Amino acid sequence: VLFFVFLVSIAFCSTNTQNKYNSLVQQMSKLNNMVGTTEDPSVLLSKIKEGCEKTKKEVGDQFSKIDSRCSAGNSLLKEFVEKLRGDIATRNATIHSNQNEAKLLRGNLEKYEKDRTTAEKSLADLTSDFKGELATFTDNREEAEEKITIIRELKNIVTDELLNDEQKPAFVQIENKFRSKLNELKSKKFKNKKNTLIIPLLTTLVDLTSQRFSDQKILSKIMAVLNKLQNELEKFIEEDENRHGEALNNFREQKNSIEGQIISLRKILAQTNADLTGLDGLNEHLRIGITHLLNQVARKQHEHEMWEKVCEGQTKIKDALTLFYTEQVKPAEEELTKSIA
């Protein structure tokens, strides 16, 4: 019966002429007689009218829900796409920032490389200079010791041969031997320019040997001059050792300082290169992420287009039903209302 009433409702809602309305009333009267119902047809018509209004409301509510879902879906998809674009912009900004940082690091890297090269050259120059200092010190020491050896030999000649009363050597032979050693001493250059006594002493010694060589007083003076020469040379050795010791300490201090700089610069260079590698890797990772996000944007835009088409179809259905109601159902409702009244 309900299904039949529903069919009748549709038929009635589609009816907008008096003849069709009268025909419907007659049909419903016959139906009452067949099923033994005494209910007034006008009451049934009122129920049909109520059913039409209820259906209209339900359809309206359903389309309101559809409109809400379409609106919510559009908003969600737009927000999601905007979020994806925001993430892309953030990643691009990070890449740009990383590129600027990498540019600064590469500038620093070039400076550190130059600093390291300069430090390594300074160390090489310092080492070369000290090698020269060491060679000079060694030569000075050897030459001074050679001179002292000759002076000792000269002193031995005077002591062992000229001042020995028990031995009466030939003075000519002894004198020749002494002069030969003295000439050997004169041939050795004295590199100690600061000592102003050695050259005058040597000159005095030469002058003394030109006098009467057999005179004991002259020999004593020669011995005194030889002692002074030896003392001056030993003093020169001691002073040169002190100077060389200071040079060695300075060399070690500078060498340690420069080597420390080189080690620090190498560590900085290694860290800077590692930072550059890290930034390059991060940028590559960000670019891959941007590609993935762009694919998501394209996919969501396609989903948005499909969603809009679905909602557009629902809107067309709604508009069609609204038009049908305006042109077909509403006039029938008005006619039914008049009839019931």
Side-chain angles (χ1 to χ4, degrees), residues 270-312:
Q271 184 60 52
T272 302
N273 281 316
D275 292 341
L276 282 171
T277 301
L279 286 173
D280 291 340
L282 178 59
N283 285 344
E284 182 62 24
H285 176 73
L286 289 170
R287 290 188 185 96
I288 293 173
I290 288 173
T291 301
H292 176 69
L293 290 172
L294 287 172
N295 291 334
Q296 282 190 297
V297 168
R299 186 165 58 252
K300 289 301 176 183
Q301 285 178 330
H302 178 70
E303 290 178 6
H304 191 199
E305 291 173 0
M306 296 303 297
W307 182 262
E308 286 183 332
K309 287 182 180 179
V310 171
C311 291
E312 184 181 352

Side-chain angles (χ1 to χ4, degrees), residues 214-259:
S214 60
D215 191 333
Q216 293 293 317
K217 291 181 180 179
I218 298 299
L219 292 175
S220 297
K221 289 179 180 180
I222 290 173
M223 180 63 75
V225 173
L226 289 172
N227 287 331
K228 287 182 179 180
L229 274 173
Q230 183 174 344
N231 291 337
E232 290 299 323
L233 288 169
E234 289 174 348
K235 180 181 177 182
F236 166 73
I237 290 174
E238 182 179 358
E239 290 176 350
D240 205 43
E241 284 180 346
N242 292 334
R243 182 196 60 76
H244 179 70
E246 291 179 0
L248 178 59
N249 289 334
N250 290 334
F251 167 74
R252 286 172 176 169
E253 289 179 2
Q254 294 181 51
K255 179 174 178 288
N256 290 337
S257 176
I258 295 174
E259 286 178 342

Side-chain angles (χ1 to χ4, degrees), residues 45-92:
L45 290 176
S46 295
K47 292 181 178 180
I48 292 173
K49 182 175 181 298
E50 291 175 359
C52 286
E53 291 176 349
K54 182 179 180 182
T55 300
K56 173 186 172 183
K57 183 177 182 304
E58 289 175 350
V59 171
D61 291 344
Q62 186 63 30
F63 276 106
S64 294
K65 292 179 181 179
I66 292 173
D67 288 342
S68 296
R69 284 196 293 270
C70 283
S71 177
N74 281 331
S75 296
L76 288 174
L77 287 169
K78 286 180 180 179
E79 289 175 2
F80 192 74
V81 169
E82 289 302 316
K83 182 181 181 302
L84 291 175
R85 286 174 175 164
D87 291 342
I88 291 172
T90 299
R91 283 167 169 77
N92 279 324

